[in-house]
Amino acid sequence: MRRVGAGIRTLLVYAVLLGLAAVYAAPIAFMVVGSLKPEARVLADMGSAVAFYPADPSLANYHDVFARVDFARFLFNSVLITGSIMLGGLLVNGFLGYALARLRWRGRGLILAAVLALLILPLEAIAVPLFYQVTLLGWRDTYVVQILPFVANAFFVYLFYVFFLGLPRELEEAARMDGAGVLGTYFRIIVPNAKPAFATVAILTFLFQWGQYLWPLLVTSGERVRPLPVAIAAFRTLPPLEWGDILAFGVMMVVPVIVVFLAFQRWFVRGVAESGLKG
């Protein structure tokens, strides 16, 4: 009888999980299927199960996107900006986290307190004074203004700090006995043993920066350095309004996120379990 009860509970859990998965996957499925439909069918099929069935699939909407805007330029801008922030962040945030967790130096406690305080400070709170500063520096409509303010991140510094605290001291002591300095110990011993933390920070940085909208909207006015989130908002206002084209634009914008997540998924799950994201 207990086995029957446990089996029913397991089925209920799976049913709830499958229902939640369907709810989250439905908008993505609608976007992908809609991007393959003729424009006349996108809105006509909405509200019925046919919305998730491409009766006559075509790539015409994707061709329209490339014909109407310079999508390759926007994609290049997003890859350059996001990739630069991700690589720079791994270097800066990782080393600062290591310095806070494993080195003893004057002012360490004060810097750690500042990092913790910055965790609760959202971008919206400093967007206006930051915008004023970059305007004075003449950085608007550049890649620098979209990259530099986001390389250092308090949350990722803290994540590295927590992860490095859990590494055994023997690793560093062995490296120093071999004559390695601070940088040698960090790059030869700490980094290889902290791959889950680096993968977690890489994927979270990519996911956050790839969808960054507010700051690029403030600091860019032309298409030359415009990233994809701002470009799709501008694309939606171009006449004529073509929902199939907008859905195709959205699909091409989401594909890199899925690719990066799948590439780092194994390390990401391990990093969440070991780095303290769970609390």
Side-chain angles (χ1 to χ4, degrees), residues 12-260:
L12 288 175
V13 169
Y14 277 108
V16 171
L17 292 177
L18 286 174
L20 290 174
V23 169
Y24 282 107
I28 298 175
F30 174 78
M31 180 174 67
V32 174
V33 173
S35 70
L36 300 173
K37 286 184 175 181
E39 178 63 26
R41 300 305 311 169
V42 175
L43 295 182
D45 293 344
M46 187 179 292
S48 67
V50 184
F52 299 97
Y53 176 67
D56 187 18
S58 165
L59 296 177
N61 294 325
Y62 293 87
H63 290 296
D64 287 348
V65 172
F66 284 96
R68 297 175 65 186
V69 295
D70 191 358
F71 182 86
R73 160 64 68 176
F74 302 141
L75 179 63
F76 170 79
N77 292 340
S78 281
V79 171
L80 176 65
I81 294 167
T82 304
S84 299
I85 293 173
M86 188 170 67
L87 294 177
L90 290 177
L91 183 66
V92 172
N93 299 322
F95 197 73
L96 182 53
Y98 173 71
L100 291 171
R102 312 300 293 221
L103 304 180
R104 295 293 175 265
W105 42 281
R106 188 185 297 272
R108 170 179 163 275
L110 183 62
I111 298 298
L112 181 58
V115 169
L116 294 176
L118 288 173
L119 285 175
I120 61 173
L121 191 64
L123 171 64
E124 290 77 6
I126 60 172
V128 172
L130 190 58
F131 174 76
Y132 180 69
Q133 287 184 343
V134 299
T135 300
L136 291 178
L137 293 170
W139 286 0
R140 290 177 59 185
D141 279 321
T142 65
Y143 292 119
V144 173
V145 75
Q146 299 181 75
I147 296 172
L148 197 58
F150 301 99
V151 170
N153 184 292
F155 174 73
F156 296 138
V157 171
Y158 183 70
L159 191 148
F160 277 121
Y161 168 79
V162 172
F163 188 91
F164 291 148
L165 281 179
L167 293 178
R169 286 280 179 191
E170 290 76 10
L171 290 173
E172 293 167 293
E173 293 171 358
R176 285 168 186 165
M177 288 178 66
D178 290 338
V182 174
L183 290 179
T185 303
Y186 177 72
F187 286 109
R188 288 166 49 193
I189 304 298
I190 299 299
V191 172
N193 284 281
K195 288 180 181 176
F198 281 92
T200 301
V201 170
I203 195 170
L204 289 178
T205 303
F206 187 91
L207 294 176
F208 175 73
Q209 294 299 335
W210 190 260
Q212 184 70 264
Y213 176 75
L214 174 62
W215 184 248
L217 179 67
L218 284 173
V219 298
T220 62
S221 56
E223 295 185 353
R224 189 178 62 83
V225 295
R226 179 178 291 171
L228 284 171
V230 181
I232 194 174
F235 182 70
R236 191 178 61 83
T237 64
L238 289 179
L241 180 60
E242 300 281 354
W243 285 107
D245 293 358
I246 296 172
L247 293 176
F249 197 120
V251 171
M252 290 190 287
M253 184 175 165
V254 168
V255 166
V257 177
I258 297 174
V259 171
V260 170

Side-chain angles (χ1 to χ4, degrees), residues 251-276:
V251 171
M252 290 190 287
M253 184 175 165
V254 168
V255 166
V257 177
I258 297 174
V259 171
V260 170
F261 180 79
L262 292 177
F264 287 92
Q265 183 185 22
R266 182 167 62 95
W267 293 107
F268 177 70
V269 173
R270 186 178 163 190
V272 170
E274 296 180 5
S275 62

